[in-house]
Amino acid sequence: MKKIILPVFLLIASLQALASFDEWFTNKTLRVDYYHTGNSASETYSLDQIKAEPYWGGSKINLIDTLNYGEYYFKVIDTKSNIVIYSRGYCTLFNEWQYTEEAKHISRTFPESVVMPMPKKGARIEFFSRNFLGIFEKKFEYTFDVNSYFISDERQMVFPVYDALISGDPATKIDVVILPEGYTAAEMDKFKADCDKFAAELFKFEPYTHNRNKFNIRAVLAPSAESGTD
């Protein structure tokens, strides 16, 4: 009897997590573009633009990041209930640059973006930076209004896609997308061959070998105007 109950319990838990996604989000992406400005000793955030993208490609189950990784962290909070409905930790080039010699003498601005599922209702997006003690400090917030005039639709560029490895539904797999740089339209066959080579080499090593069936690898056939990288 125990062997039957456990799978049923796991199925119910999975459906509850999915229901949580459907409760708070639509199957679209909200992208927040912002500017990260500072130097080795200070930093500021400023909003650039808000974009709506037509699909959500991330997890619909693991909505809250509990790993506490990354130098930065953002969370999405439902404004009415004050419930955290999404969060993620991440790293940026700005943080790497902060430790350079140049950052001790001048300030620079880096464009950055975070993405999240599209909230169905109003939400507050809070941004955090990790201080020198390893503690996240709130640096910036943006209140998202679903009816805001300033939300613009992302212009979609459509290119063919090459499937180097498909193991199943993207919602339940690790999805790797390869973008070309320096491959012309006449070199797309070479690009596809290089993607196949990458996929073959990757799964020669652990832990990838025994987790091959957890990956999808796709290549976007977007040619460059000139051959070779800049």
Side-chain angles (χ1 to χ4, degrees):
M1 185 64 181
K2 291 182 179 179
K3 292 182 180 179
I4 298 174
I5 292 175
L6 180 59
V8 171
F9 173 78
L10 292 176
L11 176 61
I12 292 173
S14 176
L15 290 175
Q16 287 175 336
L18 187 60
S20 178
F21 178 91
D22 292 336
E23 177 184 359
W24 299 111
F25 303 105
T26 63
N27 194 34
K28 296 181 179 180
T29 293
L30 175 65
R31 193 184 90 204
V32 179
D33 296 342
Y34 63 96
Y35 294 115
H36 205 162
T37 301
N39 50 44
S40 62
S42 65
E43 62 178 334
T44 59
Y45 292 70
S46 58
L47 182 69
D48 178 19
Q49 58 185 348
I50 306 297
K51 292 280 191 177
E53 299 180 350
Y55 306 104
W56 171 246
S59 175
K60 295 182 179 180
I61 299 174
N62 299 312
L63 302 178
I64 306 299
D65 186 347
T66 60
L67 297 177
N68 202 38
Y69 291 157
E71 290 297 320
Y72 307 101
Y73 186 85
F74 76 91
K75 56 185 178 181
V76 184
I77 304 166
D78 177 67
T79 51
K80 186 174 182 180
S81 64
N82 216 36
I83 294 174
V84 177
I85 57 177
Y86 189 81
S87 64
R88 279 295 178 272
Y90 62 105
C91 294
T92 70
L93 288 175
F94 173 81
N95 178 247
E96 294 185 24
W97 175 79
Q98 275 191 305
Y99 292 93
T100 66
E101 183 64 26
E102 183 184 55
K104 297 178 182 179
H105 307 287
I106 66 170
S107 294
R108 283 191 181 275
T109 296
F110 288 70
E112 298 174 353
S113 300
V114 295
V115 296
M116 61 209 73
M118 180 67 73
K120 287 183 175 181
K121 306 172 185 177
R124 187 173 69 256
I125 305 167
E126 298 182 348
F127 292 79
F128 298 80
S129 294
R130 197 186 295 273
N131 64 23
F132 290 104
L133 297 176
I135 300 171
F136 281 119
E137 292 182 344
K138 182 179 173 180
K139 295 290 185 176
F140 178 70
E141 73 174 49
Y142 170 74
T143 300
F144 168 73
D145 179 357
V146 292
N147 298 314
S148 174
Y149 173 82
F150 297 102
I151 301 173
S152 57
D153 292 330
E154 177 68 357
R155 183 175 65 88
Q156 298 299 303
M157 295 181 291
V158 180
F159 295 101
V161 174
Y162 173 67
D163 295 335
L165 173 68
I166 300 298
S167 299
D169 185 350
T172 62
K173 303 297 177 182
I174 299 171
D175 293 289
V176 178
V177 177
I178 304 174
L179 303 177
E181 165 60 23
Y183 294 85
T184 64
E187 296 173 320
M188 284 295 102
D189 285 342
K190 182 181 186 303
F191 174 56
K192 289 190 283 187
D194 288 344
C195 293
D196 289 334
K197 181 179 179 181
F198 164 77
E201 292 295 323
L202 177 66
F203 296 107
K204 287 182 179 179
F205 302 94
E206 293 294 355
Y208 302 105
T209 303
H210 284 86
N211 289 285
R212 188 176 187 275
N213 64 349
K214 297 179 181 178
F215 283 80
N216 291 331
I217 301 178
R218 291 183 170 91
V220 179
L221 305 183
S224 299
E226 298 178 352
S227 181
T229 57
D230 295 334

